[in-house]
């Protein structure tokens, strides 16, 4: 998801590394902090693969600044990753929100909607954080107030998202 976020933000225009890190940190939130030890190796992999271009500029002080931009190959890779999002990219909320943040970069509305349909299909499957054998347990099945709260919040969030998805797909 880190590479997808890098490609997605750079599709919006060139950025310096620290600007990119700041935007990714806001997108991922506190749940998944991004360290320099993960960001810069990911950038280097993408540069090495020809998906990003790195241009060195003089900095305000002695340090040079690197401006990153998306190559044509990078734009194609971004579109492919978004268009083909499936599995964990659809079921994991943080990963899905990263896909959703950049889905408008896919130029074909039908391909965008295919991704949204996969998410809707996932959300319509009975699921829970807790099970009795194979049976998913709902909030009404839990005596623990915190688990009940967790399940109530998840149900409301899922209901709101399904409603939004149906509206967009209509």
């Amino acid at each position: 998801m880190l590479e997808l976020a890098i490609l997605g933000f750079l599709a919006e225009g060139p950025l310096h590394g620290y600007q990119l890190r700041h935007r990714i940190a806001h997108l991922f939130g506190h749940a998944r902090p991004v360290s320099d030890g993960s960001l810069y190796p990911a950038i280097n992999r993408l540069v090495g693969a020809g998906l990003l271009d790195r241009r060195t500029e003089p900095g305000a002080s002695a340090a040079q600044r690197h401006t990153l931009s998306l190559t044509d190959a990078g734009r194609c890779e971004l579109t492919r990753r978004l268009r083909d999002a499936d599995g964990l990219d659809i079921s994991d909320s943080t990963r899905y929100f990263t896909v959703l943040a950049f889905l408008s970069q896919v130029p074909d509305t039908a391909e965008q909607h295919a991704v949204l349909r996969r998410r809707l299909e996932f959300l319509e499957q009975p699921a829970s954080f807790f099970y009795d054998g194979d049976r998913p347990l709902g909030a009404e099945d839990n005596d623990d107030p915190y688990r009940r709260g967790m399940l109530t919040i998840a149900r409301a969030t899922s209901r709101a998202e399904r409603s939004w998805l149906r509206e967009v797909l209509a």
Side-chain angles (χ1 to χ4, degrees), residues 83-157:
R83 183 185 59 235
D84 296 345
D86 204 358
L88 280 176
D89 295 341
I90 296 298
S91 63
D92 179 85
S93 294
T94 303
R95 291 174 70 115
Y96 172 69
F97 277 7
T98 303
V99 169
L100 195 58
F102 303 110
L103 194 56
S104 63
Q105 294 292 329
V106 175
D108 184 356
T109 303
E111 291 178 340
Q112 294 171 357
H113 285 189
V115 173
L116 298 180
R117 274 192 296 282
R118 287 193 291 275
R119 176 66 175 184
L120 182 58
E121 288 169 9
F122 164 74
L123 291 174
E124 289 178 335
Q125 298 301 313
S128 179
F129 299 107
F130 310 104
Y131 287 81
D132 180 11
D134 290 338
R135 184 178 70 86
L137 298 176
E140 60 283 351
D141 300 319
N142 271 281
D143 293 330
D144 184 305
Y146 305 109
R147 285 186 174 191
R148 200 169 42 251
M150 191 177 160
L151 291 163
T152 300
I153 292 165
R155 180 183 292 160
T157 302

Side-chain angles (χ1 to χ4, degrees), residues 50-52 69-79:
L51 304 178
L52 301 182
S69 58
L70 200 59
T71 64
D72 290 340
R75 188 167 303 282
C76 289
E77 179 64 10
L78 170 64
T79 302

Side-chain angles (χ1 to χ4, degrees), residues 38-60:
S38 60
L39 177 62
Y40 290 102
I43 289 171
N44 290 335
R45 282 192 306 274
L46 294 170
V47 169
L51 304 178
L52 301 182
D53 182 49
R54 182 178 12 224
R55 198 176 68 240
T56 303
E57 303 173 342

